[in-house]
Amino acid sequence: REKYQLKAVRVASTGLDDENEVKKYIGAKAAEYLAAIVQPKDVIGISWGTTMYHVACALQPKALAGVQIVQLKGGTSHAQGLTYAHEILERFAQNFSAEAHYLPLPVIFDTRALKEMVDADRYISSVLALGRQANIALFTVGTVRDSALLFNLGYPIADEIKEEIKQHAVGDICSRFFTAAGEICNEALDARTVGIRLTELKDKSYSILVAGGQPKYEGIKAVLAGGYANVLITDQYTAMRLLKET
């Protein structure tokens, strides 16, 4: 917490340094932390993916007045069921007896013009605005491996852009790819991406990164370098690696 100037850190104790095991334990730790901080009328912005699914499954019911849950990025794809986007939002909303706000869109559009046209829709713009206003953001970091979820959802990402991402990016937050310095990797792809911008995460009271495991380590470092998270929830192996960084 002191080294990376964070508001809070929670470290889950996992039996194995295995990414699937890590997701279960940090998911439970994140659910516990969220329950401790959430207050009536809070707006909670969430991303999707397998880590966030583990968070959603670990939530303990806590009904609060006026809480709203909003998706921070588009969640539909050509491979339904892999993102868990709808189920995660539903679980969060039911858990807090909250109102859910969906972004029923792909996260990446074919062109910037089409994406901007969709952004201008009154309903979509209101959901995006609510995501920007959320005082709590809960998200993970993706990898740039061939097996990464985002690369297997049928989104229109040209091979040359994928290659650039694999060469220069270390991860993504809400499908926005960034370099080791925490800067956007490909501006053209970023302009076609629906959801919260990385810089907007810096304005949150709680900007909570839930991530751990060796494959995500470089991405976690970059998120901290970019200042996009003020709370880190991770595993003990990742925590030790971060402490050893010079």
Side-chain angles (χ1 to χ4, degrees), residues 45-122:
I46 59 174
S47 65
W48 43 254
T50 53
T51 300
M52 290 300 300
Y53 179 72
H54 282 293
V55 178
C57 290
L59 292 169
Q60 295 296 316
K62 183 176 183 179
L64 293 170
V67 171
Q68 299 183 76
I69 312 295
V70 60
Q71 281 184 326
L72 293 177
K73 64 174 180 174
T76 61
S77 75
H78 298 296
Q80 293 298 326
L82 288 176
T83 68
Y84 302 104
H86 186 274
E87 186 173 356
I88 291 167
L89 195 70
E90 283 292 304
R91 283 178 177 264
F92 269 81
Q94 291 171 7
N95 188 80
F96 295 107
S97 297
E99 184 179 359
H101 300 272
Y102 296 88
L103 272 176
L105 302 167
V107 71
I108 297 173
F109 276 83
D110 287 351
T111 67
R112 178 174 184 166
L114 182 56
K115 180 259 183 184
E116 291 176 347
M117 185 185 304
V118 171
D119 278 357
D121 175 82
R122 184 168 61 178

Side-chain angles (χ1 to χ4, degrees), residues 29 31 59 61 96-97 141 151 223 233-234 237 243:
K29 187 67 72 173
L59 292 169
F96 295 107
S97 297
V141 58
F151 291 154
V223 174
I233 298 176
T234 193
Y237 300 103
L243 278 175

Side-chain angles (χ1 to χ4, degrees), residues 117-182:
M117 185 185 304
V118 171
D119 278 357
D121 175 82
R122 184 168 61 178
Y123 171 76
I124 299 303
S125 63
S126 69
V127 176
L128 292 171
L130 187 63
R132 289 191 291 270
Q133 295 163 16
N135 60 308
I136 300 173
L138 198 69
F139 55 92
T140 188
V141 58
T143 71
V144 293
R145 297 174 294 179
D146 287 333
S147 60
L149 180 59
L150 191 64
F151 291 154
N152 293 282
L153 294 176
Y155 290 126
I157 305 176
D159 289 342
E160 60 267 25
I161 294 179
K162 283 186 181 179
E163 194 59 34
E164 179 184 354
I165 288 170
K166 291 173 185 176
Q167 288 186 16
H168 301 290
V170 294
D172 79 278
I173 299 173
C174 293
S175 304
R176 298 189 184 275
F177 290 94
F178 50 82
T179 65

